[in-house]
Every structure is written in C-alpha cells, then in structure tokens.
Amino acid sequence: DVKVTQSSRYLVKRTGEKVFLECVQDMDHENMFWYRQDPGLGLRLIYFSYDVKMKEKGDIPEGYSVSREKKERFSLILESASTNQTSMYLCASSPLKTRREQYFGPGTRLTVT
Amino acid sequence: AQSVTQPDIHITVSEGASLELRCNYSYGATPYLFWYVQSPGQGLQLLLKYFSGDTLVQGIKGFEAEFKRSQSSFNLRKPSVHWSDAAEYFCAVVPNSGGYQKVTFGIGTKLQVIP
C-alpha cells in the first residue's frame, strides 16, 4: 500500500513564525503535491513537484514556498505565518506514469494565532 | 479550463437507504474522472476512477459511479448506506492528455447518515 505521512496532525503557531510542514511518501513516486482545504472552497493546489529540486506553482502559492531535496520528501514552508493561513494542509503523491490518481496523507490542521 | 460542480453541499440519508451524489464537469473532451472520500480528520482516499470503456465503474466500500457523456456527469451511487459512510465526498477531473495535468476537485458533498 502507498503510504503518505505528514509530520504533524495538529499544529498551533503564532503570527510571524516560520512553519515547516513535512511530507514523506514511501512508494518512489515522482510527483508530490501540497493542497490546502477550506470549508466551501474544496482543495486548492499550493505547489507541486515532479522531480527532486523541481517545483511548480499551483493556484495559491503566495505566502508559501516548498523544498524537495529528496525524492520521498516534500516540505511546505510558511515563511511568516499569518492568521489567514489557518487551514487543513494535505500532501499527496502520484507516480509519473499514471492516470493521475493521487494518494493523500492524513493532513495537518494548522492554527495560526 | 476544466471545472467540476458538486451541486449538493450537504446530504442526509437514513441508514439502509440508497444514495446518489451528483458530479458534473466541464471540459472539451472526456477527462479522467475520480471520486474520493474523506472521513473526519483524515486525508482523501480514492473510491473509484473512470478512464475509458465501461461507463459503470465499481469501487471500494460498495460504491459505483456511472459516466454519462451526454450529461457530462459522473454520479456516485450506493444501494444501501451504512453509518460508516458518513464522510465528505469529492469528485475530481483531470484532462486526458499527455504530460502533467492539474487535478480539479469539486468543493465536496458532506454526507450525514441518520439511524
């Protein structure tokens, strides 16, 4: 079974803090994704990566950056957390040669106070 | 650009009743189609997918979905709902073309199951 893990299930940070969200997948997938999920808005793509050290902006990259130094790990960074970044963050992965089904981690619920 | 509409934000059904969740998409050609389920506090799990061929696809947990090209729909069904089916359900579409293509998710339908 594909396993995607996220470093924290719940996280509480203060405004202005730098926040790291880590995601690890164990199935040698090329593609990895970060989404945020908000009620009434569904899933919105923040960034994705199709290879080590490669990244592409999604629909809402402002205020976020990412890092992919190893194939299995994809990190989301909030350089200076703000209250409007309080959300559920979901990481996903998929193989390169696939019909684009994605495998999701359990999510990190981030609260910025 | 493709889009996905899930017209029902909340649905309540009685345990044992049948279920149909609606999904309509907008795209020039037939895309790849997916249904995901998200239990409370969890990530999304793939229920089923449609790529081509038989328009009625079977998934996990007793779910099925039917692709109707003429209606641009991919509705999810279950003949008899169990209390454990209470969750949020997301329809998703991806263009059927080469290279990386972005997945577009619907906003989700939250299913409540009452005894």
Side-chain angles (χ1 to χ4, degrees), chain A residues 6-22:
Chain A
Q6 295 183 228
S7 51
S8 304
R9 294 300 303 275
Y10 301 93
L11 209 51
V12 180
K13 295 292 182 181
R14 295 197 180 275
T15 302
E17 278 193 86
K18 190 169 186 175
V19 182
F20 293 85
L21 302 183
E22 302 283 333

Side-chain angles (χ1 to χ4, degrees), chain A residues 2-94:
Chain A
V2 176
K3 190 151 188 178
V4 180
T5 57
Q6 295 183 228
S7 51
S8 304
R9 294 300 303 275
Y10 301 93
L11 209 51
V12 180
K13 295 292 182 181
R14 295 197 180 275
T15 302
E17 278 193 86
K18 190 169 186 175
V19 182
F20 293 85
L21 302 183
E22 302 283 333
C23 175
V24 178
Q25 50 94 3
D26 67 357
M27 285 303 290
D28 203 36
H29 287 173
E30 287 79 9
N31 301 322
M32 296 188 75
F33 310 85
W34 275 107
Y35 295 91
R36 68 176 279 176
Q37 182 181 17
D38 300 287
L41 297 177
L43 276 73
R44 293 180 290 168
L45 181 65
I46 305 171
Y47 269 96
F48 70 95
S49 169
Y50 53 87
D51 201 352
V52 175
K53 298 193 185 295
M54 304 303 290
K55 61 184 179 184
E56 294 284 344
K57 292 180 180 179
D59 298 319
I60 51 164
E62 297 78 18
Y64 304 94
S65 61
V66 291
S67 172
R68 193 162 180 205
E69 296 296 319
K70 294 185 177 181
K71 190 175 186 181
E72 67 271 17
R73 189 179 298 269
F74 192 35
S75 302
L76 180 69
I77 303 152
L78 287 66
E79 295 289 342
S80 177
S82 64
T83 54
N84 63 12
Q85 292 178 309
T86 291
S87 187
M88 170 72 98
Y89 290 87
L90 293 169
C91 176
S93 71
S94 70

Side-chain angles (χ1 to χ4, degrees), chain A residues 9 33 35 37 40 42-43 45 48 59 90 99-102 104-106, chain B residues 32 34 36 38 41-44 46 49 51 90 94 97 99-100 102-103:
Chain A
R9 294 300 303 275
F33 310 85
Y35 295 91
Q37 182 181 17
L43 276 73
L45 181 65
F48 70 95
D59 298 319
L90 293 169
R99 288 173 173 174
R100 301 169 184 96
E101 58 197 83
Q102 297 186 2
F104 284 82
Chain B
Y32 297 138
F34 305 87
Y36 289 86
Q38 184 180 32
Q42 302 295 319
L44 276 68
L46 182 68
K49 58 196 176 189
F51 299 145
F90 293 90
V94 179
S97 57
Y100 171 74
K102 191 188 117 177
V103 180

